[in-house]
Amino acid sequence: KAAFINFISDEEWKSIEPVSSWFGPSSLLMSSMSALFKLSMWIRHGHGYLTENLGIPVWGSYAVFGLATLFLGMVLGLVSEALRAGCDC
């Protein structure tokens, strides 16, 4: 704690190079990482709900998420093809 207070009061922070814009909190990279973290937390809570509240075995929860991933991939592929076919490129 004392080292942090000295870091601030002695203005040692001025000698540190600023973070590049790629790694800033509002950059596209960090926003994407935040979204992935939120998705992973949602998946974790969903897994807990399936196994603890509904009593589905762990392998069953994995199967549900695997099938959901396949289904979502199919839907996104169909949408992508429909958009590509409709643009007359």
Side-chain angles (χ1 to χ4, degrees):
K1 179 179 172 182
F4 180 69
I5 293 173
N6 289 338
F7 179 77
I8 301 299
S9 63
D10 295 342
E11 296 184 356
E12 295 175 22
W13 53 270
K14 288 184 177 181
S15 64
I16 296 177
E17 188 175 325
V19 176
S20 77
S21 62
W22 272 100
F23 299 107
S26 61
S27 71
L28 177 63
L29 178 65
M30 289 297 125
S31 297
S32 301
M33 292 300 293
S34 173
L36 285 174
F37 181 75
K38 289 176 186 176
L39 176 64
S40 71
M41 293 304 296
W42 181 85
I43 291 172
R44 180 177 179 216
H45 290 297
H47 174 72
Y49 177 77
L50 291 174
T51 57
E52 295 169 11
N53 294 357
L54 298 181
I56 296 175
V58 172
W59 63 266
S61 174
Y62 292 157
V64 167
F65 282 108
L67 290 172
T69 301
L70 289 173
F71 179 74
L72 183 60
M74 284 185 351
V75 168
L76 290 174
L78 287 171
V79 169
S80 172
E81 282 301 308
L83 291 174
R84 191 175 68 92
C87 78
D88 296 321
C89 298

